[in-house]
Amino acid sequence: IASHNQDTIEMATQLMRDLGKDKGRVYFGQLLGMADHLTFTLAKHGYKAYKYVPYGPIDEVVPYLIRRTQENSAILGSPGVQMERRMVGEELLRRLRPF
């Protein structure tokens, strides 16, 4: 399941539970650098999750990345993105504070 959307992932994991599907038979994937909090949470709960890095000829990769950027910039104000920004900010402050 390729999704950066928390609602979609929650729906998929609930459906897996409802149908009694094995966590090891379904994989969740996201673009490296996006929705890390979802990837880590999935892994923490025993789901298979991976990050992918697009590669190839620059004339093929750049248009792909531009499309992903455009799709995701449309949701920058969404609650999920706002939550991720808040979590990143909190983690940054935690790391910058003296011990």
Side-chain angles (χ1 to χ4, degrees), residues 15-56:
L15 186 59
M16 289 171 63
R17 285 190 298 276
D18 293 349
L19 297 174
K21 296 296 179 184
D22 179 13
K23 292 178 182 180
R25 296 183 52 97
V26 176
Y27 290 76
F28 292 86
Q30 290 108 17
L31 182 61
L32 182 65
M34 293 184 63
D36 291 336
H37 67 291
L38 296 176
T39 312
F40 296 141
T41 302
L42 285 165
K44 180 179 176 182
H45 289 92
Y47 292 94
K48 304 292 184 183
Y50 66 91
K51 293 293 194 176
Y52 72 94
V53 179
Y55 67 94

Side-chain angles (χ1 to χ4, degrees), residues 73-89:
S73 65
I75 61 165
L76 286 177
S78 72
V81 172
Q82 295 301 318
M83 180 179 66
E84 189 167 4
R85 283 182 177 171
R86 181 185 49 78
M87 290 188 301
V88 168

